[in-house]
Amino acid sequence: MHYTPAPRDPKADPIRINLLSDTQTRPTQAMREAMARAEVGDEQIGDDPTVNLLCERVASLLGKEAAVFMPSGTMCNVAATLAHCRPGDEILAHASAHIIAREGGAHAALGGFQITPLPGDDGQFAPGTFRAALHPRSRYQPPQTVVSVEQTANIGGGTIWKKAALDEVVEIAKANGLITHMDGARLLNACVATKISARDMAAGWDSAWIDFSKGLGAPIGGVIAGSRAFIDDVWRWKQRLGGSMRQAGICAAACVYALDHHVDRLADDHANARSLARGLSQINGIEVQEPETNLVFFRPDGAGVSGDKMVEALRKRGVLLAMMDGRIRACTHLDVSAAMIEETVALVREIVRGA
């Protein structure tokens, strides 16, 4: 799987429209001002009021007892599995899940865990598939300890797990003694699109987290929530993985600002994604997956242009996208306007005509 493009020279290869990922967002001026005004203290001893405020708000948002501020979403996933599992335990997740495809084998390297990939369309496994993968407790097989879902499913196309499916997975897991973990990197995208609250979406999940450095536009950070006992264990693993961030209120202030100002506007990103998909689908030979949130996957092969060549041609014209799992991925976000979407479609049409 190819994700990021080759290194580029910003002077020779200027990018005007960055559709590579929603991680490409930059803090707005108002967010920067909020960061500059932040009250700070030592996060290690619970003395940073802005970090404490952020954790309280996320715990409440997700309906959990407590939360902890982490540098990244990947660290949220890694610390969660380290807290939930023992070496030799088995985790079940979709075959394209971030914990399998995008975290450098951290769960095996650091925890000695086995992750079993479950098949399914659009980045999601069916509850029946999960049930079928369960086995009786036996000395011959690893203890099945955690089931993980990714909301939204990134490589699946930014698809949204239906609430009914989430609830059924929880029911099966609890009946069989498994812990439930939700990778909520784009959870709030799903909430805005479905109008289901984050608390309801995460109900029944023992641990869940949200990322602030994607569509919410903060420069850093994720917050993971769960029971107080679980968060105590996560803190121990945070210490082992590098420790606290000390006067982290400067970073937490960006996340608090994002909760106040950047959640509802995720709907704009979804509208831009639909507009991009609609425009691309009108070009002969372009195959487009209908977006549910802010991710648009498409193939230009039917138009006589390979995905790699399309990405390179767009890059030369100032538009940055990514190849992912044999498809082109475009990701709309805070720094992408409707006018940029129109220009991107026009450039794709130009490239296709040239081919």
Side-chain angles (χ1 to χ4, degrees):
M1 290 183 186
H2 178 56
Y3 179 58
T4 53
R8 64 184 180 86
D9 180 349
K11 294 181 180 178
D13 194 19
I15 296 300
R16 296 174 293 102
I17 303 173
N18 194 331
L19 293 164
L20 180 70
S21 174
D22 40 13
T23 61
Q24 303 295 293
T25 56
R26 298 182 181 184
T28 63
Q29 184 59 39
M31 181 180 282
R32 289 174 181 266
E33 291 169 1
M35 295 171 72
R37 294 192 304 268
E39 293 184 68
V40 299
D42 189 344
E43 182 205 27
Q44 179 76 293
I45 60 173
D47 195 37
D48 190 304
T50 310
V51 171
N52 293 343
L53 172 63
L54 173 64
C55 291
E56 289 166 6
R57 288 192 58 177
V58 173
S60 176
L61 182 72
L62 297 178
K64 309 303 178 188
E65 292 180 350
V68 60
F69 187 36
M70 303 288 275
S72 71
T74 294
M75 282 189 67
C76 288
N77 274 339
V78 172
T81 61
L82 289 168
H84 285 317
C85 302
R86 296 179 62 188
D89 283 0
E90 180 180 354
I91 300 167
L92 296 98
H94 188 271
S96 66
H98 200 273
I99 62 171
I100 294 177
R102 292 288 181 269
E103 296 182 3
H107 307 270
L110 301 178
F113 312 136
Q114 172 177 306
I115 305 180
T116 297
L118 301 179
D121 295 335
D122 300 329
Q124 302 178 30
F125 55 84
T129 300
F130 168 45
R131 189 192 302 275
L134 298 175
H135 57 69
R137 300 281 170 169
S138 164
R139 70 169 70 99
Y140 300 109
Q141 294 176 296
Q144 293 179 312
T145 304
V146 171
V147 60
S148 176
V149 301
E150 185 180 336
Q151 181 74 307
T152 62
N154 175 13
I155 298 176
T159 58
I160 300 169
W161 277 81
K162 300 295 189 289
K163 181 69 167 65
L166 293 174
D167 290 346
E168 190 172 352
V169 170
V170 167
E171 182 180 356
I172 295 167
K174 297 308 177 187
N176 289 275
L178 272 74
I179 296 165
T180 53
H181 172 70
M182 178 179 287
D183 172 339
R186 295 182 176 89
L187 171 60
L188 295 186
N189 286 90
C191 294
V192 168
T194 61
K195 296 181 170 48
I196 297 172
S197 72
R199 176 183 287 259
D200 287 345
M201 199 75 83
W205 294 85
D206 296 305
S207 54
W209 61 272
I210 56 177
D211 198 328
F212 286 92
S213 64
K214 291 187 170 68
L216 296 179
I220 189 174
V223 177
I224 185 166
S227 69
R228 294 192 187 280
F230 167 73
I231 293 302
D232 284 346
D233 285 342
V234 169
W235 251 112
R236 180 177 292 107
W237 280 107
K238 180 178 177 179
Q239 185 69 25
R240 290 169 174 169
L241 293 170
S244 70
M245 295 186 283
R246 302 304 178 186
Q247 287 73 35
I250 293 172
C251 298
C255 303
V256 172
Y257 181 89
L259 287 177
D260 290 336
H261 300 281
H262 289 174
V263 176
D264 291 342
R265 66 144 308 280
L266 292 172
D268 298 337
D269 299 339
H270 301 168
N272 282 334
R274 291 192 298 271
S275 178
L276 176 60
R278 185 167 53 250
L280 292 172
S281 67
Q282 294 170 357
I283 302 172
N284 287 337
I286 302 285
E287 179 188 335
V288 187
Q289 180 179 345
E290 185 66 25
E292 295 184 16
T293 50
N294 67 321
L295 302 180
V296 179
F297 283 78
F298 66 100
R299 299 178 190 271
D301 306 74
V305 186
S306 71
D308 287 331
K309 288 184 178 179
M310 175 64 75
V311 168
E312 184 59 28
L314 285 168
R315 178 172 166 176
K316 290 178 178 177
R317 290 163 172 80
V319 181
L320 190 62
L321 299 96
M323 284 297 297
M324 183 176 289
D325 197 25
R327 299 172 295 168
I328 300 175
R329 190 190 79 165
C331 186
T332 58
H333 53 79
L334 184 66
D335 294 334
V336 175
S337 67
M340 291 176 178
I341 296 298
E342 292 180 9
E343 183 178 352
T344 299
V345 172
L347 289 171
V348 171
R349 184 176 290 111
E350 172 189 301
I351 294 165
V352 167
R353 283 174 180 166

